Amino acid sequence: MSFLAIKDVHHTYFTKVSATTALSEITLQVEEGEFVSFLGPSGCGKSTLLSIIAGLIKPTQGSILLENKPLSGAKNQIGYMLQQDYLFPWKTIEENILLGLKLSKQLNDETKNAALDLLKQMGLNGIEKQLPKQLSGGMRQRAALVRTLATEPKLLMLDEPFSALDYQTKLKLEDLVSNTLDAFGKTAILVTHDIGEAIAMSDRVILFSPSPGSIHKVFPMPDELRSLSPFKARNHERFSSIFQTIWKELESLESGKE
Ligand SMILES: Nc1ncnc2c1ncn2[C@@H]1O[C@H](COP(=O)(O)OP(=O)(O)OP(=O)(O)O)[C@@H](O)[C@H]1O
Ligand SMILES: [Mg+2]
């Protein structure tokens, strides 16, 4: 039994004038504690698949099982950080990061302190009482990440969480997120456009091809890299050859576009 099983998922978006098939024949299993990344050209359905796994979109066909149970019973166990930060503008950062805990009735002194501590670790000190608009885009994104991690979901889904960050912050947060997930044995799916990030953080990299979105190739990462922190993995001697392989595959997909 897999922790997460995605079975033959198809999804078509219908509007009044058009039908766009975003995903076709997606079958994938993710094991408990595993970290997988979704990589692929823009528009190949990565965000759509995350929204389906999170139960926000019902697929036109196929099913999702979390610990062998249909998704409807599992919503609270999934943490989903959307591609755009979605902090509530009228709430302070503290209120924002505690919101998930409050909604899932897990808010107490212990969980509150853990969330505030995580905020500090993310380099966000002393901004608890500020409003999102007083923060930079990268700071908002880090706060959104704290909110997602605070509820300690069983399955964590991150849609390009580091894309608005400067390079140095991004490398630091990759390590922080990776350590946090390892410590709790969490399962995670990361959507990224950064091949290096996918290699450095993942156990497996899933490459999607467009029109319609489908799984093109799966790259298991070697144990030597998986055992290292993302920062160290980026400096490992095997990193660059894996990078080249995935880069070429991605290039061939993008040049195949009309
Ligand atoms: N709400 C929607 N209504 C209609 N079509 C949609 C909707 N959301 C996405 N699509 C279409 O579905 C396809 C997949 O979109 P999706 O956002 O899942 O791609 P993506 O891989 O996440 O892209 P990106 O890398 O740019 O974030 C695209 O063709 C997009 O135009
Ligand atoms: Mg997307």
Side-chain angles (χ1 to χ4, degrees):
M1 178 190 103
S2 295
F3 181 70
L4 173 73
I6 302 166
K7 289 187 182 165
D8 196 29
V9 163
H10 289 247
H11 189 68
T12 303
Y13 285 106
F14 293 100
T15 66
K16 277 185 191 145
V17 288
S18 67
T20 310
T21 298
L23 292 169
S24 166
E25 289 179 46
I26 307 289
T27 293
L28 179 71
Q29 277 103 41
V30 179
E31 301 309 323
E32 186 156 23
E34 199 182 13
F35 193 113
V36 303
S37 289
F38 291 173
L39 200 64
S42 186
C44 67
K46 304 178 297 293
S47 296
T48 302
L49 186 55
L50 285 200
S51 294
I52 289 173
I53 298 170
L56 299 178
I57 299 179
K58 193 178 174 342
T60 27
Q61 192 189 311
S63 61
I64 312 282
L65 298 177
L66 187 70
E67 295 185 309
N68 240 7
K69 291 189 275 287
L71 214 54
S72 52
K75 264 179 200 148
N76 281 341
Q77 300 166 21
I78 297 181
Y80 184 14
M81 183 170 151
L82 299 169
Q83 195 161 3
Q84 270 124 25
D85 98 61
Y86 57 119
L87 298 172
F88 291 104
W90 60 89
K91 287 187 187 290
T92 67
I93 295 303
E94 179 170 324
E95 288 165 345
N96 264 293
I97 63 164
L98 299 179
L99 191 68
L101 288 169
K102 210 169 158 184
L103 290 176
S104 57
K105 302 195 166 52
Q106 300 177 67
L107 188 61
N108 55 44
D109 282 349
E110 196 183 327
T111 56
K112 180 178 169 177
N113 288 335
L116 290 172
D117 206 47
L118 198 55
L119 197 66
K120 284 200 192 89
Q121 288 183 51
M122 295 275 182
L124 297 174
N125 248 336
I127 49 98
E128 293 83 354
K129 305 294 176 215
Q130 297 193 8
L131 294 170
K133 68 174 179 204
Q134 295 173 275
L135 271 54
S136 72
M139 290 164 89
R140 281 203 301 271
Q141 204 144 3
R142 277 179 274 163
L145 190 55
V146 172
R147 177 163 77 184
T148 311
L149 289 169
T151 56
E152 298 198 2
K154 275 191 176 174
L155 172 65
L156 184 67
M157 298 196 294
L158 304 167
D159 199 348
E160 306 198 29
F162 310 126
S163 58
L165 305 175
D166 64 87
Y167 194 62
Q168 223 180 337
T169 309
K170 172 186 161 113
L171 294 186
K172 281 190 193 153
L173 283 191
E174 282 178 10
D175 273 17
L176 180 62
V177 169
S178 179
N179 289 339
T180 311
L181 293 177
D182 277 353
F184 292 103
K186 298 286 179 202
T187 313
I189 301 176
L190 170 78
V191 173
T192 177
H193 277 110
D194 180 337
I195 301 173
E197 182 170 293
I199 298 170
M201 295 201 70
S202 310
D203 297 311
R204 274 188 297 160
V205 176
I206 319 281
L207 182 61
F208 284 76
S209 55
S211 317
S214 47
I215 294 176
H216 178 70
K217 238 180 194 167
V218 176
F219 299 90
M221 294 297 116
D223 289 343
E224 299 102 289
L225 291 193
R226 289 172 49 197
S227 60
L228 296 175
S229 70
F231 187 81
K232 288 191 176 136
R234 282 177 184 269
N235 291 304
H236 191 275
E237 58 184 14
R238 292 200 58 184
F239 181 85
S240 95
S241 71
I242 299 171
F243 189 99
Q244 293 299 328
T245 307
I246 299 182
W247 171 271
K248 282 193 191 120
E249 204 65 46
L250 197 56
E251 281 274 275
S252 75
L253 286 178
E254 295 193 328
S255 63
K257 266 200 300 203
E258 283 153 55

